[in-house]
Amino acid sequence: MFNETFTAVFNQKYDNIIFSMSVNDISKFRDLFIDEATNLLNSMESILLQLEENPQNIDLIQEVFRVMHTIKGVSGMYGFDAISDLTHNTENIYDLIRNGSLTLNKEILDNTLIIVDQLFALLKDEKVQNKEIAELQKQLISWCNKVVNSSKQPKPKVAVNINEGSPVTYNVIFHAHQQIVDRRINIFYTIKDLADIGEIRSINSLPVIGDEEERWSIFVVGHFNQMDIEDALMFVFEYCIIRKVADFDIFDTEEMDKNRIALLSEEDIPQITVPQKGESISCKPSHEIAQPQLSNTESMIASIRQNMNRVAVDSEKLDYLMYLVSELITTSSQLNLTSHEKGLERVRPQIEKLDKLSKQFRNNALDIRLIPIRDMVPKFNRLVRDISNNLGKEIEFVTEGMETELDKSSIDMVAEPLVHMLRNALDHGIEKPEEREEAGKDSKGVIRLKAYNLGNNIVIEVSDDGKGINRQHIITKGMEKGLIQSGDNLSDKEVYNLMCEPGFSTAAEVTSISGRGVGMDVVKQKIAEMRGELDITSELGKGTTFTIKLQQSIAILDTLLVRSGTMKFLLPLSDVEICSQLPYQSVESRIKHSTIDFEEELVPFVSLRNLFGLNGQKNKMAKMILIKKNNSKFAVFADEIMGQHQAVLKPMGELVKSHEEISAASVLGNGEVAFLLDTNSINQNLYTKAV
Amino acid sequence: MASLLLIQVISTTYFKMETKSKESYLLFKLQDELFAVSVHKVLEIIETGEEHTITALPKAPEAISGVVNFRGNVIPVVNTRLKFDLVDYSENEKFVVIVLSLNFNNQDNIIGAQSDKVVDVIEISEEEIKPVPEVGQSYNSNYIHGVIHRNGKFIMLINLEEVMASREIIELQKIASEVKETLEP
């Protein structure tokens, strides 16, 4: 008894503590930085590739500089010193380039790409413990220094117009938004950056109206231009209104007098009072000043509106939304079931409507999680560029249908197989230019990445116009490795499947790109994990096509719910070909052979009772579910077919990850747990046993 | 006014790392031994019964009794008695499932651990925790990161991350008795 009351009290008391604890966790902010830095570096890659096309584009150069500067600033705050160091050096180079004292060349671009890779590596290894990384770091920094020193006239950044002309005065209205605190932007650095470009003459808080957040007015005087001040404020740019107050130092009374007539041509002007120390400034701007502010505000609003079309959402929030939706779906299907009971006729229409609505809601929520494949393309561009350079091959990389959308988690998972497939196409598929010319092809090879919707599935194809797969070559290799006895009677499909066996590598010599014996087996395994299918077609001399067929979402699946003994299992509905029944006796008599005669075809089968050692009362008839997977068939025998179930799939965690026949679980309407059978692996086990 | 924000920034940046020297631990029992685990790792304690039945997972790895529906997620339940080489629960024996959030194999894992019963929540100060003696090679002291002595009883602070990440069956009785022997005054 004590036990029960105690647990209840415990759960109530500690629930909140635990959740509030984790929210404030400091590591979250570090994660946030890593996220942001990763995004920035990703954007860097595509910027650099664009720069390669037109190296004169000053906007792109400016962008590189900004990204480096941003990462430098923030990484220092979180203790990523190596990153801070490297970005600082890179920033110097691009500073010289944008000043025109250095010209962008291929060497710089190539090395910048290496630097981007190094920065990615440093995000994971902040203490630079890996020796290779440390060595590369040294090389890169000394290279940076060399480039900077070799530039025509190494001139310091601010020195350009010191003592030239008169100083300018800028006013910055800084909105101390809660987000700044939340995002852990360190305002000290911003203030320090400001002090670097000019002299801060005053910082004063402005009167707060209503529940508005605090605002400060900062006056900076010095020899700099709009761009410098924008750079200094880059972390808090969106919270600032920057405007030029005067082309002279308004705090210098002599200058002020000189310029007084010019500035104060209207009567109602002297609102810019020169603040005394500690006194707050009331800043009612004059007409001249108000004008630019207005247009500034307008353009700001316009740009905010533009950003509103896309909303960046924390993926955890989406996960939670999905969780709620799945609970809703579960409850609503439960309700739907009950509504068929007597006496509930009156509420039936409403329940049916609720059911429809929640399904629409589910589809909509799933839709939100969809991401176009396009987001991965810059990475692939980079990969193809690097590898083709490396191998001395000429490649045209064509993408098609990149607006096709996939669930966020699928995008994450499909990236790895796609990389392997592209590498294979580059390394094994496309021939060297000379070979291609000999074969009468264009010296430039084409690799095509194509995606499209096919019914409920998403299809991604990687194809090349290279030499194609040499069937005989694979058979010989397969025999050498002892994977097969002879190559006779093997269908093309079976031959290509050999390539996906672990440890199979056909590359005559092992290159750094592929052919390390991992590759196709990883591709196959990853795709199987996503419950997808892999298909290979090839024509000798013409090229090879790898086709991946995926479900749009791997989180929710239409399934068939079956029971055996007391256990409930789920089968993906898309794999189910036909349902039938047979007397249990005849099933059991065939168990040793594990094949059964169905419609004049010998079909391998599993009996769930037998497979999992289940007991309990048996029906006279066993239910047969015929599964078609990867173009082969097998049968599953269960006690009872219970109906369709929209399964919200849940992984079962690290401890039971390696389970062979069961890949996920789902909670049924009544809270019971049902297991999803892994048709891929059952299929594979059956066929290997048969051979 | 202006300084308010600055102070806020400083304090959130620099003083968040402060930790209390006292921490709450959940005390639970396995046969005759008392164990403690930090409450921050405990998400909930589930009474098994109508609402929460453990669904057996066929062909499950050793010492996994099954899975259970926890807030809509499916989590594995570890049979701690088997894991620790103790006598398994008999058919009608009551037990509770402590739901824990543990970080092992580089990820957060939510798992259930069967326990005979939860006893109490106690505050333990850091000075009170005695290190595990280095004597005796028969156990892996990684599994226990400290021992405390309260009311004439030894309570072992269990390192559940290590225990769960390891594939082996841990001979708990041996560890417990050896630790006690060396610490007994």
Side-chain angles (χ1 to χ4, degrees), chain A residues 7 42 55 180 195 204 313 326 362 420 457-458 481 499 515 555 565:
Chain A
T7 48
N42 277 333
I180 298 182
N204 285 288
V313 187
S326 60
R362 178 202 72 168
H420 281 296
N457 292 307
I458 303 291
K481 299 253 166 187
M499 296 195 309

Side-chain angles (χ1 to χ4, degrees), chain A residues 168-187:
Chain A
V168 290
T169 308
Y170 268 87
N171 175 240
V172 178
I173 302 287
F174 174 61
H175 208 97
H177 198 275
Q178 179 61 32
Q179 278 178 13
I180 298 182
V181 183
D182 291 346
R183 286 174 58 191
R184 299 220 146 202
I185 294 166
N186 195 331
I187 292 165

Side-chain angles (χ1 to χ4, degrees), chain A residues 102-117:
Chain A
L102 197 68
T103 343
L104 189 65
N105 57 29
K106 192 166 174 350
E107 186 200 339
I108 294 181
L109 268 177
D110 282 346
N111 277 323
T112 316
L113 281 169
I114 297 173
I115 286 170
V116 170
D117 288 341

Side-chain angles (χ1 to χ4, degrees), chain A residues 2-4 6-7 10-11 14-15 18 184 187 214 216 323 567 611-612 650 652 654 659 661 667 675, chain B residues 1-2 5 12 42 44-45 47 56 58-59 69 71-73 76 94 105 107 109 117-119 121:
Chain A
F2 166 74
N3 220 355
E4 278 142 50
F6 176 79
T7 48
F10 174 86
N11 287 341
Y14 284 95
D15 224 21
I18 289 152
R184 299 220 146 202
I187 292 165
E214 208 166 322
W216 301 338
Y323 159 70
M567 308 267 320
L611 182 66
F612 296 125
K650 307 279 181 183
M652 289 185 290
E654 187 70 6
H659 204 291
E661 285 99 359
V667 180
F675 298 110
Chain B
M1 280 278 258
L5 186 94
T12 43
V42 182
E44 194 169 310
I45 299 159
E47 295 273 340
K59 293 199 176 178
N69 169 12
R71 297 181 190 168
N73 284 314
K94 282 204 104 183
N105 296 356
Q107 52 181 307
N109 299 277
K117 69 181 217 179
V118 283
V119 183
V121 173

